[in-house]
Structures are given as structure tokens and as C-alpha cells.
Amino acid sequence: MPISSLLITVGGLLLAGLAVEGIGRHTPLPRVTLLLAFGFVIGPSGIDVLPDIQQTWFPVIANIALLMIGFLLGEKLVRLLTGRLGDTILKVSIYNVVITVVVVLAGLWLFDVPLIMALLLAAIASATAPAATTDVIEEARAKGPFTSVLTGVVAIDDAWGMIIFSILLAWALVLGGDGNGLHGLWLGVQDVGGAMLLGTLLGAPMAYLTGRIRPGQPTMVEALGFVFLCGGLAEWFGVSFLLASMVMGSVVYALAGHHKRPFHEIEYIDWPFKILFFILAGAALHIPALFNAGAMVIGYILLRIVGKIAGAIIGGRLSGADPVVSRWLGPALLPQAGVAIGMALLASQQFPQLAEDILAVAIGATVFFELVGPVFTRLALRRAGEDTQMSQRHPKRKQ
């Protein structure tokens, strides 16, 4: 693609994203859903006016956006886990992931889905979408105990999900006659353990430099340098860049908690990348995938919804969380995107004979959960009484 076309496209998408955000202020829909819908309309499945930048630029933009999100989530995770709600977040997140996996696995198996397929899809169901969820929270300017629990659970959910995915992948490999379940476990250890090690090794020197570099442009350069370096090394070593950046942010906060400069600098510049990420993600959605997957994708969607809601209710009650958490956390956790697709790709590589069905279900469900999930997240924040933006817009409205 010519440089002129690329620059025109990026500039146009940013301005269009700004317009969509403005429209979103006058609707109950979250801007994530509107940006995804806009991307879908201008993408190949819609009127197809978006130049072909998907293959070359979308992975780069997506990685940059998710790296920044992971870094910021790492800071929030440590702060929340060490706070008064830390025990609640930890317990609720574990219950939610385990119960979601059990519900999806049992439901698919009862509907005569082959056990190997059911195991893989159940593991994929545990993943959430940090980008969409955190953006809805930021847009709503949500604050309060429910928002804190939601932020913490979203931050740690995918780590639990990767651990469970590695275990169920190992089980599926044994059932599939491979006999090498250790290979599946090793993939999980390599992904989770390697990402944690990389994040720690980069977080320590970053924490040392933080506070010793002048505020402003030097701090921004430091933050971006480490975040990009983390993403590049994670891709090179084949480990989760989202988890690696999250661990790096956690280490920086833990070792240099009195200096928030790197986090503030990333917060200043992450939104343009997120606009491009959401629009291009919407353009990548294919509605036909929902129909191609047939009844299995419908069953997966319904079972995942039941699992997330049941997991929040049971986890909330067993952990002694506020009733609002039990009631509304499940719907708030419905968005699902990149991490689930990554799991599906890994599973399809290990089981090529099931690749078409696995990817059809994962992509089809992503279409649904990316468009509809943020709406439920915003609704949950509103019902929990922590949607500050809605309160300011309608001060007399009961939450």
C-alpha cells in the first residue's frame, strides 16, 4: 500500500473514531460496540471501503494497544490485590474461570460434542477481553467496589485461563492418541511461565529507572521503550505478550509504587491506538462465521453466558462479596476477543482435523461477544450504581 493511502486511512479512521465517540455520548451504547460496528460496516463484510491494511498493520496496532492495556492492568492488579478487596478478587476470579469451564464442558458433552472438542472449547470459554472491558469502565468513569472487583478479575482472568487451557489441552492430546500430554502442559508452562519471567526481568530495571528520569517526554520515551521491547521479546520467544506486559506493570508498581509517571504517560497516548484497534477488529469480524459454525456456536455462546453468570453468583457468595458483585459481575465479563482467538489457533495447530470447527466457533462467538458483550458490561456498571458518566448525565435518575 502506498504511504499516502496508509496515512490518509489512519487519519480518516482516527477522525471517524472521534466522531463515533461523540455520537456514543448521546446513546446508551458503549463506544467500543460503536467502534466495532463502524469497523464492520466499512470492512469486507460490510460496504468494503477500507483499504487492505488488515494483514500488514492490524497485528501491529493490535499488539501495541494490548501491550499498553496489559501494562496499565498490571499496575491496577497489584494495587487491587493488595487492597481490602484483594481476597475477594482472587477467589471470585478462580471460581468464575473454573465454573465457566465446567459448565461449557458438561453442556457441550451432553449435546454429543466429541469430548476432545468440548475440552478445547471449554478452555477457550474462560478467556475475557481486557481491552473492551477496561475501555467501557474508562468511558463510564466508573468507580466503586464493583468496578474494582471487575477490573481485578479481568486483569487476572486470562492468566487463570491460560493455565486451565494448558491442562485441558494436555488432556485432549492424551485422549486424541498423541500420548504426549506433557507437550500440552509444556506449551502452557512456556506461555505463562515465560511471560511472567520476561515481565519480571524487564520490570525490575524499569522500576529502577522510574523516578530517576525527568517527567514529561523522557518518561514517555522510557515507558514506550520498555513496553515495545516487552512486546517484541514476547513475540520472539513465543510467549503471551499481554501477560508479559501485565507482569512488567505489576513489577514496576510493586518496586516503585511511589512513582506513577510511566503509567500516566501511557494513559495519555493509548486511546488513539485503541480507536484503530477497535475499528480494525470490527472490520475483521465476519458474520458468516456465525452461520458456518451452526448449532455448536449457539450452544457455546449460551453455555458461556450461563457459566460466567453462574461463576460470578457462586464465586461471589462463597467469597463473601457484596451481593451486587454476585448479581452483575457475570454479565460484565461477557466480552471475549483476542486471547480466545489465540487459544483457538493454538488448539487448531495441535488438532488440525478439528481446526475448521474450532476456529469457526471461536470466531463466530467473538463476533457476538465483541458486539454485545460491552453493552452488558455498561449495563452491569449502571445497575451497580457506578456508571458516573450516566449519573452526571441524568442526576435524578435512580441507579
Side-chain angles (χ1 to χ4, degrees):
M1 171 187 281
I3 294 296
S4 59
S5 298
L6 175 63
L7 293 175
I8 291 170
T9 300
V10 171
L13 290 179
L14 287 173
L15 292 174
L18 186 63
V20 169
E21 184 180 10
I23 294 170
R25 295 197 188 110
H26 303 285
T27 72
L29 293 174
R31 62 188 180 189
V32 176
T33 298
L34 292 173
L35 289 170
L36 288 165
F38 173 71
F40 173 78
V41 169
I42 66 173
S45 295
I47 58 178
D48 197 16
V49 296
L50 185 66
D52 185 22
I53 64 173
Q54 293 290 111
Q55 298 298 324
T56 306
W57 292 101
F58 180 45
V60 176
I61 292 169
N63 285 7
I64 291 173
L66 290 172
L67 281 166
M68 293 180 178
I69 290 164
F71 181 68
L72 295 174
L73 276 177
E75 178 251 344
K76 293 175 183 175
L77 179 61
V78 175
R79 177 163 46 84
L80 291 170
L81 287 180
T82 54
R84 63 182 184 85
L85 292 172
D87 188 57
T88 299
I89 291 170
L90 203 58
K91 289 179 180 178
V92 170
S93 65
I94 294 173
Y95 283 123
N96 190 268
V97 167
V98 171
I99 291 172
T100 299
V101 169
V102 170
V103 168
V104 175
L105 174 58
L108 291 176
W109 186 64
L110 287 173
F111 282 105
D112 293 327
V113 173
L115 183 55
I116 292 176
M117 185 76 172
L119 283 168
L120 297 173
L121 291 178
I124 293 169
S126 65
T128 52
T133 307
T134 55
D135 188 75
V136 173
I137 291 171
E138 289 172 8
E139 182 188 17
R141 301 192 192 107
K143 293 180 181 178
F146 176 80
T147 302
S148 296
V149 172
L150 173 60
T151 303
V153 170
V154 165
I156 202 171
D157 239 12
D158 290 332
W160 296 135
M162 285 303 304
I163 292 169
I164 290 179
F165 177 76
S166 66
I167 294 171
L168 294 187
L169 178 62
W171 186 3
L173 286 169
V174 173
L175 290 175
D178 187 297
N180 189 14
L182 290 176
H183 176 61
L185 285 174
W186 169 244
L187 289 174
V189 170
Q190 183 182 24
D191 200 19
V192 177
M196 294 180 71
L197 178 61
L198 176 62
T200 302
L201 291 176
L202 289 176
M206 185 176 181
Y208 176 80
L209 287 175
T210 297
R212 292 172 172 81
I213 295 179
R214 287 187 298 106
Q217 291 179 345
T219 300
M220 182 183 291
V221 171
E222 174 218 0
L224 283 176
F226 273 101
V227 168
F228 286 6
L229 183 62
C230 179
L233 290 175
E235 286 287 324
W236 190 17
F237 290 119
V239 300
S240 170
F241 63 85
L242 180 62
L243 184 57
S245 64
M246 194 183 302
V247 171
M248 185 174 71
S250 299
V251 171
V252 171
Y253 181 82
L255 298 182
H258 56 296
H259 293 295
K260 304 295 192 303
R261 294 173 193 165
F263 302 106
H264 293 324
E265 294 300 335
I266 293 296
E267 285 174 341
Y268 291 148
I269 60 172
D270 70 334
W271 179 231
F273 291 100
K274 285 161 71 174
I275 286 179
L276 295 174
F277 169 60
F278 289 128
I279 292 177
L280 294 178
L285 297 178
H286 298 287
I287 293 295
L290 280 170
F291 301 103
N292 293 339
M296 196 184 302
V297 73
I298 297 174
Y300 171 87
I301 288 171
L302 293 176
L303 288 167
R304 184 175 181 270
I305 291 172
V306 171
K308 286 295 179 187
I309 292 174
I313 292 172
I314 296 171
R317 290 179 178 173
L318 292 178
S319 64
D322 190 291
V324 173
V325 172
S326 299
R327 191 176 302 121
W328 292 110
L329 184 65
L333 292 172
L334 289 182
Q336 185 178 44
V339 177
I341 297 297
M343 290 179 177
L345 289 170
L346 186 56
S348 65
Q349 290 169 7
Q350 300 302 313
F351 294 92
Q353 71 277 16
L354 300 175
E356 186 175 343
D357 288 336
I358 293 171
L359 290 174
V361 172
I363 295 171
T366 295
V367 173
F368 177 84
F369 286 121
E370 273 293 80
L371 291 173
V372 177
V375 177
F376 281 97
T377 302
R378 186 69 183 263
L379 175 64
L381 291 169
R382 196 169 302 156
R383 295 299 184 187
E386 298 182 9
D387 188 336
T388 304
Q389 187 186 62
M390 183 59 68
S391 301
Q392 292 173 347
R393 192 184 301 167
H394 303 285
K396 295 182 181 179
R397 178 176 292 181
K398 264 187 153 182
Q399 295 298 319

